[in-house]
Amino acid sequence: MSLEFSADAQKKIAAACERYPTKQPVVMAALHLAQKEHGHLSDDVLRLVARTLDLPYAHVYGVATFYTMYRREPGGRQTIRMCTNISCMLRDGYAVLEAFEAVLGLVRGESNAEFTLVEEECIAACANAPCAVVGTEYLLDITPEQVGNIIERLKAQPHPESEVV
């Protein structure tokens, strides 16, 4: 069975292609749309993106595997991207990450139906370290004691990554 983009996604990709002289800059947007529609970026989905943009599979694969916001395996409905770069690390980011692991019953890199927990290199919110991002929501100045309430709020008001596109 051959995968396809929805008509809406095809329109978005075509509009993005009109803005650039080549299709290479459209890869990231197309990967976001593909992940939104297909859940994760399997080899077949990467081939769809390559075919749609008429680009080499190796280029699309390279982009999809370089950036952490793309999932090659199925994940939870929401992804918690916990920063552990220098600012967050110095302000107990690892303690916050461990609190997320304890509350979710996951180890960084694992998923359940609702959440995927990712250790992120940097989310560019250093002034409010430690921080995390879920979909389009930034969680700032997190303490380990806040993690349980954060998870309950995210369960009640999800912020899936599909909000991005």
Side-chain angles (χ1 to χ4, degrees), residues 1 11-12 30 33 52-53 60-62 64 66 71 90 95-96 98-100 109 118 121 126 131-132 136 139 141 160:
M1 178 174 117
K11 287 179 191 174
K12 288 178 180 179
L33 287 166
T52 300
L53 297 176
V60 174
Y61 178 87
F66 179 79
R71 285 192 315 271
L90 291 172
V96 174
E98 289 166 4
F100 275 117
V118 176
E121 182 62 25
C126 302
C131 51
T136 57
L139 307 171
D141 301 303

Side-chain angles (χ1 to χ4, degrees), residues 5-137:
F5 279 111
S6 68
D8 183 54
Q10 289 176 20
K11 287 179 191 174
K12 288 178 180 179
I13 292 169
C17 288
E18 293 294 317
R19 292 187 296 214
Y20 300 100
T22 69
K23 294 181 180 178
Q24 284 184 325
V26 181
V27 171
M28 292 183 74
L31 288 170
H32 277 296
L33 287 166
Q35 184 166 278
K36 178 179 181 178
E37 291 196 349
H38 300 287
H40 69 285
L41 301 175
S42 66
D43 289 341
D44 287 339
V45 173
L46 294 180
R47 283 188 201 80
L48 168 64
V49 172
R51 185 175 70 242
T52 300
L53 297 176
D54 194 29
L55 291 172
Y57 173 82
H59 176 74
V60 174
Y61 178 87
V63 173
T65 57
F66 179 79
Y67 294 101
T68 59
M69 68 261 216
Y70 301 121
R71 285 192 315 271
R72 293 279 289 142
E73 300 296 327
R77 187 166 71 135
Q78 301 182 77
T79 300
I80 300 169
R81 298 182 178 285
M82 180 66 209
C83 179
T84 56
N85 207 325
I86 190 74
S87 296
C88 290
M89 178 191 67
L90 291 172
R91 297 192 66 207
D92 291 330
Y94 279 106
V96 174
L97 179 58
E98 289 166 4
F100 275 117
E101 289 177 330
V103 171
L104 295 171
L106 298 173
V107 175
R108 59 199 89 166
E110 289 184 341
S111 301
N112 58 30
E114 183 63 29
F115 293 102
T116 297
L117 182 60
V118 176
E119 180 178 2
E120 194 69 47
E121 182 62 25
C122 183
I123 62 170
C126 302
N128 295 100
C131 51
V133 65
V134 182
T136 57
E137 180 183 2

